[in-house]
Amino acid sequence: MDQAHQAGSVRERLIDAGVELVMTEGSASLGLREIARRAGVSHGAPRRYFPTHHALLSAIARRGFTGLAARFAAATEGAGTPRDQLRSLADAFLDYAAEHGGMFELMFRHDLLDSEVHASDADAPGPRLRESSLPLFARLVELVAQDRVHRTDHGTGPSYDSAPSPALTAAALWTNLHGIAVLRANGSLQLAFPGASEGPGPLLTAALDAHLGRADA
């Protein structure tokens, strides 16, 4: 095995070990020594294959975005109108957050997404974490724009003449979804809205109506 292939193999083992850890024990478990132990390498090995701990965590979190992207694709395939696809996408986002809380928390850590703060990680393998998240948001913007066109063409939506841009609307919706996910995870949502204990469906409907207009308007 040549050195480049061996290095790639060790990197993948470290990332695999980190993914397993965060999925089973949460983001607080991702110490370098524990990742190395799980990967079956020396405790100094991560530093040889990733410039910083931050770079390794980012590589682990990129796996989360890959998984979430796959869910988005599956959820929106054949889902019908843009509004139907947005609902399916939102459901997939909240389901992922509920099922993989540790990974979800890692994926949206500000210090990992703020690439410019960690310029020393530029030599780390793979794209920076922020670049891994952008296609998902772009898909949300695209569907918001398509929903407006669809509803205008069918005469079923409000006037969008003075509406915020699709990007701004998508950002507001994304923020709303993330807030539901986080508050639901820490139990605060159920305290404020007891009905949330049965699922976020009514809140999700309200969020979509607030940002996109009522579905039956």
Side-chain angles (χ1 to χ4, degrees):
M1 181 184 299
D2 60 47
Q3 288 187 338
H5 188 275
Q6 182 178 14
S9 176
V10 175
R11 287 191 189 100
E12 289 303 306
R13 283 164 59 192
L14 289 166
I15 296 170
D16 288 344
V19 170
E20 181 185 359
L21 267 171
V22 76
M23 290 293 199
T24 58
E25 299 185 27
S27 59
S29 66
L30 294 173
L32 285 176
R33 284 180 175 270
E34 183 58 19
I35 293 174
R37 189 186 72 79
R38 290 289 186 101
V41 297
S42 69
H43 65 80
R47 295 292 192 185
R48 291 198 294 274
Y49 297 99
F50 293 91
T52 64
H53 188 193
H54 173 276
L56 176 53
L57 294 181
S58 294
I60 295 165
R62 282 199 298 272
R63 291 279 191 87
F65 278 111
T66 298
L68 184 57
R71 288 203 180 200
F72 276 14
T76 57
E77 183 178 4
T81 67
R83 176 67 171 246
D84 293 335
Q85 293 181 61
L86 282 163
R87 177 62 187 242
S88 295
L89 183 152
D91 281 330
F93 183 84
L94 294 179
D95 287 346
Y96 186 91
E99 295 167 18
H100 305 300
M103 178 63 87
F104 184 83
E105 180 182 354
L106 186 70
M107 289 161 60
F108 291 99
R109 266 180 48 174
H110 177 72
D111 62 318
L112 300 185
L113 289 167
D114 189 2
S115 303
E116 298 306 316
V117 173
H118 299 275
S120 63
D121 291 348
D123 295 331
R128 292 190 180 186
L129 186 60
R130 184 172 181 273
E131 280 61 54
S132 298
S133 70
L134 293 178
L136 303 187
F137 181 69
R139 178 60 175 150
L140 187 61
V141 175
E142 178 185 32
L143 286 174
V144 169
Q146 290 177 357
D147 177 64
R148 291 184 179 183
V149 172
H150 177 85
R151 299 186 73 187
T152 298
D153 289 347
H154 290 77
T156 58
S159 170
Y160 296 110
D161 293 342
S162 60
S165 69
L168 182 55
T169 297
L173 178 57
W174 183 272
T175 301
N176 208 158
L177 293 175
H178 194 90
I180 292 173
V182 172
L183 291 173
R184 183 186 182 193
N186 64 28
S188 299
L189 187 61
Q190 294 86 329
L191 293 175
F193 178 61
S197 60
E198 299 178 6
L203 280 173
L204 180 51
T205 298
L208 290 170
D209 285 349
H211 296 298
L212 304 174
R214 288 179 57 87
D216 56 358

